[in-house]
Amino acid sequence: TAELQARYRALTRDALRAARMNERRGIYQVIHEDLGDKLLQLIYSAADTETSDLARSALAELRDAHNLLPDQQRPLTAVLADIRNETQNRCDQAKIVLHWQQDDPLPDRVLNARQLSALSRTVREAFSNLFKHAQASAVAVSVRCQPDGRLIYSICDNGRGMSEHAAPGRGLINMRSRVTELGGTMAWAPGEGGGTIFEFVLPLEEGVT
């Protein structure tokens, strides 16, 4: 009897915890949908391109935070397709020509949640930085995968450029921290024909640096 009573109390506690968790999820879902709707309205009603792009980037970050579960995995090709589509839309809005080049075919690799987040957010942050400061008319993206499991991607614009010795701002610090946390690297330098080139190295396998 004592064991049954203890088990009943434990099940009751578990049920209450589950109910609270479901309630939190419901509240979070409502907040997520409400904020998403407001950002979407701002994208199409903003008075200037910079505000619209900032809202678009914030909406993408919100969707990332909502969708990225610790055990989520997605194929590299699918992730890159989504990133390319989002980036093309942003460039079209900013009237910047996008040239996208990647290995064909890419290796059949699967990204975990942290890799997916690092890849998508570094590209997004690099383009946000470009839209704000570069005054570019064109940008080229190159993506390739090394046999040892390293993904190398670069973003090069034809804008006014920046010194490789310039003090990094918040955007650059965020980009670097996202890849270094996974054993990767980020570097930037003046482009050969002007502008700036960012290069990221992201390990896609454990132990690869």
Side-chain angles (χ1 to χ4, degrees):
T1 301
E3 290 178 359
L4 287 173
Q5 290 175 343
R7 182 59 178 163
Y8 173 76
R9 287 193 295 270
L11 288 172
T12 302
R13 287 195 300 270
D14 290 344
L16 288 173
R17 290 194 190 102
R20 294 191 191 103
M21 183 60 70
N22 287 333
E23 183 179 6
R24 291 192 189 102
R25 287 173 180 165
I27 293 172
Y28 174 76
Q29 184 67 29
V30 170
I31 293 173
H32 174 270
E33 291 176 355
D34 183 60
L35 184 55
D37 288 342
K38 286 180 170 59
L39 286 170
L40 196 59
Q41 292 174 22
L42 182 57
I43 288 172
Y44 294 106
S45 63
D48 57 84
T49 302
E50 183 175 348
T51 301
S52 178
D53 183 68
L54 181 61
R56 191 183 300 275
S57 180
L59 180 59
E61 294 281 352
L62 181 67
R63 288 170 176 167
D64 282 352
H66 180 67
N67 293 328
L68 286 178
L69 300 175
D71 59 347
Q72 180 177 0
Q73 295 185 335
R74 291 192 63 203
L76 172 62
T77 51
V79 173
L80 285 172
D82 288 346
I83 293 173
R84 181 175 182 175
N85 183 59
E86 176 190 326
T87 303
Q88 184 67 66
N89 289 336
R90 295 179 71 188
C91 286
D92 289 345
Q93 184 188 30
K95 295 179 173 56
I96 293 176
V97 177
L98 173 65
H99 302 282
W100 187 288
Q101 181 179 8
Q102 67 184 46
D103 284 350
D104 185 23
L106 283 166
D108 185 20
R109 298 188 182 275
V110 176
L111 305 188
N112 61 37
R114 294 182 66 201
Q115 293 166 338
L116 194 161
S117 177
L119 175 57
S120 61
R121 294 187 178 189
T122 50
V123 173
R124 189 177 299 136
E125 187 72 47
F127 272 88
S128 293
N129 189 74
L130 183 156
F131 295 144
K132 291 177 185 177
H133 307 297
Q135 298 178 2
S137 61
V139 58
V141 176
S142 173
V143 183
R144 63 188 189 277
C145 195
Q146 300 292 86
D148 63 3
R150 292 180 301 156
L151 183 71
I152 301 176
Y153 52 106
S154 62
I155 300 169
C156 182
D157 67 74
N158 67 347
R160 62 181 184 177
M162 59 180 285
S163 171
E164 59 183 318
H165 304 295
R170 185 182 64 181
L172 297 180
I173 293 173
N174 287 342
M175 285 189 287
R176 173 168 284 169
S177 65
R178 293 189 193 282
V179 293
T180 55
E181 285 176 358
L182 300 179
T185 61
M186 185 200 86
W188 70 89
E192 293 182 2
T196 304
I197 180 169
F198 290 92
E199 183 172 88
F200 302 87
V201 179
L202 181 63
L204 299 185
E205 294 182 353
E206 294 184 7
V208 175
T209 59

